[in-house]
Every structure is written in structure tokens, then in C-alpha cells.
Amino acid sequence: MQSRKSQSLLQGASILAAAMIIVKLFGAVFKIPLGNILNADGMGYFSTAYSIFSMIYSFATVGLPSAVAKMVAEQSVRERYQDIRRIRKLSVRLFFWMGMVGFVLMAVCSKWFVDLAGNGNDGALLSVIAISPAVFFGCMMSAYRGYYEGLRNMTPTASSQIIEVIAKLIFGLALAWGVTYWAQMQYQAGGTVFGQTVTSTVGLQRVTAPYASAAAIFGVTISTFVGTLYLLILHKRKGDGIDKEDLKYSPRPLRYRVILLRLIKIAIPISLGSIVINVAQFIDTFTIITRLDAAFAAHGAEMNAIFGSLIPAETLAAGEGANFIYGSYMGYALSVFNLVPAFTSIFGKSALPNVAAAWTVRDKRNTRINIESVIRMTCLVGIPASLGIFAMAEPILTLLFPSKTAEVAIAAPVLSMQGISLIFLGLTSPLFAVLQGLGRADLPPKFMLVSAVLKFIVNWVAIGIPSVNIQGAAAGTAACYATIVILCLIWLRKITGIRFRFVRLLIKPLLSGAACALTAYAVYHWLLGSFGSNTIKTLAGIACGALVYAVLILVLRGITKEDVLMLPKGEKFAKLLEKYRLLG
């Protein structure tokens, strides 16, 4: 069955990569206009609610389906198809109740979550309540996604992600724009907006921000419902590819109780480990506003000298300056920063069942090939993006959010600094997936705990220093994910006993990525200089940098045949590159 009905690592990654490109394009179409509809206050509320949601949602979207995928992949190798069917039934029931608990927990504790985030953030309450039902629908989607990924069929995951993001785009932007338009009509009609008297356009934005943010984030809830409905219909109509013949000759299945206990045993540590993708953002939510408020209280003159010309006076007077800075960071800087790990995580998703299958039969050769492949592909994507963002943070943000001058001025320096840590974050999710596939799902939560404590300490100390302020969050993120990657690489060697060629995997992307970033910077600042608009210079710089990177990575033979085969029509490209000896 495996050869007939499953997809290889390269095929699976290719499908997920294609889907992720589409998802991220639509995601940018959502986040960029949203950032221009809302100001930093609204993005602050949106980001607070979304980061709280992400911590709970990550159990469903990363951890639990990985556990199901691992169990299904193992039973698939052994051709225990009745066990596979029982895993699906149990996972759907388990995820249903976990989704209900998560939904109720988030809704009931919403006020407490918002209070923890810090003063001046009460406007996030509506947004937290609006997104809480998405936890339930996310769990239901994850049950089916994990099941199909374990069968090495990535198509249902990919198609549901595309449908989900399109629904988010349509409903989220429409609702946010509708609330903003309604508020504008109320203001023009009499100056009373949502029951509050408004005397200026700045005041209008402040009053509207909580409602517009809640409307936008409710679009996320609607999108998860649409994605869940799609997967239910898909499974009902097309099934899973396991036929009656497979079930007839399958060994006697394990008892439901045995499968359930094993699923829970695997799922809990993987779910805890999955939080790592969001742990830095979660810690930011509960430290940035608090520490910035402390800095404004203790060093008001110095903080006003730094931010006074950027933050509206009315916002500062209302004691909401910290939320404005937080919104600029989370809503604008992180909207760019989070694009790369979203792409690199697809390699981990596709690698987990393949690593699990190879390691189950102690096939060290294929285990090494799969692990090195996921690290190499992550570096090929992550390193040039990391160095490119470091060099081009301000032009990129200005290109995406041209009307948000103050927000960009606050976000650009911290985004540039965060570019340094991007490669570590990009590697984290794939490396965790590899450890889970090797049967050591207990390690990611331990690594996460160590790094989370380090992130919290750096944030708490650094953000409260006026001269450092929001830059402290970037320093904490770098310390957090660099620690995780180092620990993962050490333990991979210990567990497998395999000598991985880590230096060889990193050196060529590093050299090519550095040339890419320098080229982009030179074209923007030196070659074009004062000629042309920011849009033209930024796009030209990125295009030239990408071209230099592509040429160098081929000249240095930094891509293997297996990497090229991941691309659509990869066989033709592989033959062409082999002809000119450009493959490593």
C-alpha cells in the first residue's frame, strides 16, 4: 500500500510548499491591508488576542496532528490498517473534547488573559472572545490533517489550508472594513461612536480600534469553520485510500484503550513541544506592555524623547503608549518575520512520517538522508531570508505599509535585529519534527522550557531599559531559538549515532545568503540611491539579491538532485542542472 497510496518526503514537501506559497500570498493580502485599516492600537489588540489563541491552538495545529501522523505512519509500515482506522476514530473524539475545553477555557478566562498582558490593553477583550471558537474548529481540522499526513497524503492538508486562508481574507477584511466604515458614519453623523463622544480623528481611531480588531479576528473563526466543513465533506466523499482488501488481511487490531493511551502519551509531549513556535510571541505578549509601562513610569522623559514624535499625544496621555509600541512590533514587524518559519515548517511536517517510518525499521541510511534533507532545505530558504530581512527591514516595511510612518519607524529597527534570529526559528520546527519522528517527543518540551525561561529573563531585563526598549524582545528571541537549535543538533547525534554533515549543510547557504543580502542593500542604498521611489528600489534590491543567491548556490553546488525533485517538473530541472554539473 505504501508505494500505491503514499507520497514521498519530496512529493509531500512539494505539495505543502505549493500550498504554503498560496497561503502566504493570501495571508499577506490579509495582513497588509489589515495593517493599513487598523492603526498600531488596533494591531496591538489583534496581536494580543491572536498570540493567546495561538498558544492554545498550537496544540491542535502542530502537536496533536503530529502525534497522529507518527502513529499512523508506524502502523502503515507494518500494514496494520485496522489500527489505522481505530487511530482516526479515537483522534477525532479526543480532538473534539480537547477543542471544546480549549474554546471554553479561552472564552471564560479571556478577561484574565487580557489583564495579564498589561495595562492599556483592555481593548483586546472583544478580540479574545471573538476568536475563542476557532480553537474548537482548529482541533477538528487537525484530527483529519494529521491522519492524512500519517498516510503521507499531504493534499487534504494543503487544500484545506488554502480554503481556510481565502475565507479569512474575505470575511476578516470585509468585517474590519465594515466596522471601520460604520464608525466613520457615526462620527460624521454626530460625533458619538459606539456610545462614546469623539472630538478628533485620532480619538475616532482609538475608539474604533477594539471593535475593528474583534471584527477582523472573527474572520479567523469563520475561516476555521469553513476549513473544518471542507475536510468533513472530503473525508465523507473520498475516504482515506484504505480498501476492504487491506482491512481483510490486516492483523487483529489493538484494543481501543491501548491505542488511546499511546496516542495521549505521544500527543502530550509533542503538543507541549509545538508551543515553541509561539512561545516567544506568547512571552512577548505578557512582558512587552508591562515592561514598557514600567519604563514610561520610571523614565518618562527619556521614553518620551525616544517615542514622543511617533506616538500620538492623545495616546500617550491615555497611558496607551506601550500598546502602540507593542502593536507596531507585533502587527508590523512580526507580520514579516513570521513568514519564513511558516514556510520552513512544511519540511518538518513532511519529514516526520518519513523519519518515523525509516527509524522504526532502523534504516540508518534513509534516516540520515531524510534528516539532512530537511535541514538543508530549511537552510536554503531560511538563511537568505534571514540575512535579507536584516539588511532590508525598513524598505520592506515601508513598501508594505506606506501610510504607517510612525509604526514603521518603531518596527523597522527591531525587525532588522530579529532577522539575525530568523534562521534559528526556521530550523526549530523541522528539528522538533525530526526528534518526534525518532521517538523522542519528550525532548522538545524540555528544550522549550529552558529557552522560554531564557527568553523571559532577557525580555524582562532588557525591555525595561529605555535605550533598549522594544529591541529587548528581539534579543530575547535570538537567545531563545539559538539555544533550542544547538540542543537539538547535539541530541540528534546522541540518539541516532549518525555523523551528520552540519557544516557542509550550512556553509554554502551562508555564503550565498550573505552575498544576497549585500547585493540587495547595495542596490537600494548605493546603486539607485536617491533615484526612484522606495517601491522601485526595494523591489529592484530584492530581485537582484535573489538572482545573485540563485546563481551562487548553483555555482557552489549547494543544491542536490533530491532538492530539485521537490519542485514542480523537478525531473526536467534536475537533468538540465546535472548536464552542467551544478548539483551537489
Side-chain angles (χ1 to χ4, degrees):
M1 171 184 167
Q2 217 170 307
S3 62
R4 288 188 293 112
K5 300 175 182 177
S6 65
Q7 296 163 341
S8 69
L9 167 63
L10 301 179
Q11 290 173 321
S14 179
I15 290 170
L16 289 177
M20 188 58 66
I21 291 171
I22 297 171
V23 166
K24 285 303 162 185
L25 284 174
F26 278 100
V29 172
F30 171 72
K31 201 68 179 286
I32 294 169
L34 181 64
N36 288 302
I37 292 172
L38 306 178
N39 65 351
D41 289 322
M43 292 303 290
Y45 303 142
F46 183 97
S47 300
T48 296
Y50 200 84
S51 64
I52 295 169
F53 160 74
S54 295
M55 286 297 292
I56 301 173
Y57 188 51
S58 62
F59 276 85
T61 58
V62 182
L64 288 172
S66 296
V68 174
K70 183 178 186 299
M71 287 186 65
V72 170
E74 290 172 347
Q75 301 310 316
S76 178
V77 171
R78 300 184 178 103
E79 298 186 348
R80 299 184 63 93
Y81 304 122
Q82 292 189 50
D83 284 330
I84 290 174
R85 284 287 179 84
R86 288 195 170 189
I87 291 170
R88 185 191 67 81
K89 291 179 182 178
L90 283 172
S91 64
V92 169
R93 294 171 188 171
L94 177 63
F95 287 28
F96 175 89
W97 288 110
M98 289 194 70
M100 288 298 296
V101 170
F103 161 45
V104 173
L105 176 68
M106 189 167 181
V108 171
C109 299
S110 55
K111 182 67 168 63
W112 180 71
F113 285 139
V114 170
D115 289 341
L116 279 179
N119 296 325
N121 204 35
D122 293 342
L125 179 61
L126 285 175
S127 296
V128 175
I129 295 172
I131 201 174
S132 57
V135 176
F136 171 75
F137 296 121
C139 281
M140 295 308 297
M141 274 196 295
S142 296
Y144 287 94
R145 286 175 176 174
Y147 180 67
Y148 282 110
E149 287 167 16
L151 293 171
R152 284 181 264 187
N153 179 6
M154 305 298 169
T155 303
T157 294
S159 56
S160 64
Q161 286 175 337
I162 293 171
I163 290 171
E164 184 184 355
V165 76
I166 291 174
K168 180 173 71 172
L169 169 69
I170 295 171
F171 291 103
L173 287 182
L175 290 171
W177 180 85
V179 168
T180 303
Y181 180 78
W182 183 28
Q184 181 71 34
M185 294 300 99
Q186 292 181 71
Y187 175 65
Q188 293 176 354
T192 300
V193 180
F194 299 119
Q196 299 182 51
T197 301
V198 176
T199 59
S200 67
T201 55
V202 174
L204 172 63
Q205 290 181 337
R206 284 187 58 251
V207 171
T208 306
Y211 299 94
S213 170
I217 214 161
F218 189 65
V220 176
T221 296
I222 296 174
S223 72
T224 57
F225 166 74
V226 173
T228 302
L229 184 62
Y230 166 77
L231 284 172
L232 290 173
I233 295 172
L234 179 70
H235 184 76
K236 183 72 173 177
R237 293 184 61 185
K238 295 192 175 181
D240 54 14
I242 298 175
D243 54 36
K244 293 181 180 179
E245 194 77 8
D246 293 324
L247 293 171
K248 180 179 179 181
Y249 293 103
S250 174
R252 186 187 182 103
L254 297 171
R255 288 180 297 165
Y256 277 105
R257 182 175 177 274
V258 174
I259 295 175
L260 178 60
L261 289 175
R262 190 173 177 215
L263 178 63
I264 294 173
K265 182 180 178 181
I266 297 174
I268 289 175
I270 293 180
S271 296
L272 291 173
S274 71
I275 300 174
V276 73
I277 299 176
N278 304 293
V279 69
Q281 186 172 321
F282 187 72
I283 292 173
D284 284 341
T285 299
F286 293 106
T287 57
I288 290 178
I289 294 178
T290 298
R291 296 305 293 152
L292 286 175
D293 276 333
F296 272 108
H299 309 280
E302 193 171 348
M303 291 293 286
N304 285 329
I306 297 171
F307 295 107
S309 61
L310 300 174
I311 302 174
E314 193 170 335
T315 299
L316 284 173
E320 297 177 356
N323 182 64
F324 190 94
I325 299 170
Y326 170 77
S328 299
Y329 167 67
M330 297 289 281
Y332 299 89
L334 289 194
S335 65
V336 176
F337 178 78
N338 286 332
L339 289 174
V340 177
F343 276 100
T344 57
S345 66
I346 65 176
F347 300 119
K349 272 182 171 290
S350 190
L352 188 147
N354 292 277
V355 171
W359 191 244
T360 297
V361 296
R362 291 300 185 267
D363 183 348
K364 285 196 172 186
R365 180 179 178 276
N366 276 323
T367 299
R368 180 183 62 79
I369 288 173
N370 278 290
I371 292 175
E372 288 191 348
S373 178
V374 75
I375 293 174
R376 181 173 57 253
M377 291 305 299
T378 301
C379 291
L380 287 171
V381 174
I383 288 177
S386 175
L387 298 178
I389 287 175
F390 171 74
M392 297 286 287
E394 185 174 2
I396 290 172
L397 286 174
T398 303
L399 170 68
L400 298 177
F401 307 103
S403 65
K404 303 296 180 180
T405 307
E407 289 88 340
V408 167
I410 294 171
V414 69
L415 175 60
S416 181
M417 185 173 179
Q418 285 226 327
I420 300 172
S421 61
L422 195 53
I423 182 57
F424 299 113
L425 175 56
L427 279 166
T428 295
S429 182
L431 288 176
F432 273 16
V434 167
L435 288 172
Q436 291 155 10
L438 293 172
R440 293 306 306 267
D442 61 305
L443 291 177
K446 296 173 184 176
F447 298 164
M448 179 200 67
L449 180 60
V450 172
S451 65
V453 171
L454 182 60
K455 164 73 173 171
F456 182 86
I457 292 172
V458 174
N459 268 32
W460 195 264
V461 173
I463 295 173
I465 301 172
S467 58
V468 179
N469 56 77
I470 194 65
Q471 296 277 10
T477 299
C480 171
Y481 292 115
T483 300
I484 289 174
V485 169
I486 291 170
L487 290 172
C488 284
L489 295 180
I490 291 172
W491 276 90
L492 274 179
R493 173 69 189 278
K494 286 184 178 181
I495 294 166
T496 63
I498 298 172
R499 280 186 168 273
F500 296 102
R501 299 164 293 183
F502 292 132
V503 174
R504 182 179 174 185
L505 295 173
L506 291 171
I507 191 65
K508 293 177 182 179
L510 275 172
L511 291 173
S512 304
C516 166
L518 286 172
T519 300
Y521 184 89
V523 168
Y524 184 90
H525 289 281
W526 301 334
L527 186 61
L528 295 181
S530 59
F531 298 99
S533 65
N534 176 77
T535 299
I536 294 174
K537 292 192 295 182
T538 302
L539 294 177
I542 293 173
C544 292
L547 179 61
V548 167
Y549 178 75
V551 171
L552 273 180
I553 205 69
L554 290 174
V555 170
L556 295 174
R557 300 176 69 185
I559 301 178
T560 67
K561 183 176 181 179
E562 289 77 13
D563 301 331
V564 178
L565 290 174
M566 295 180 69
L567 303 172
K569 305 294 183 181
E571 297 86 354
K572 294 182 179 180
F573 286 110
K575 289 180 181 178
L576 178 64
L577 294 175
E578 279 183 323
K579 179 180 178 181
Y580 294 99
R581 298 180 181 179
L582 294 175
L583 292 179

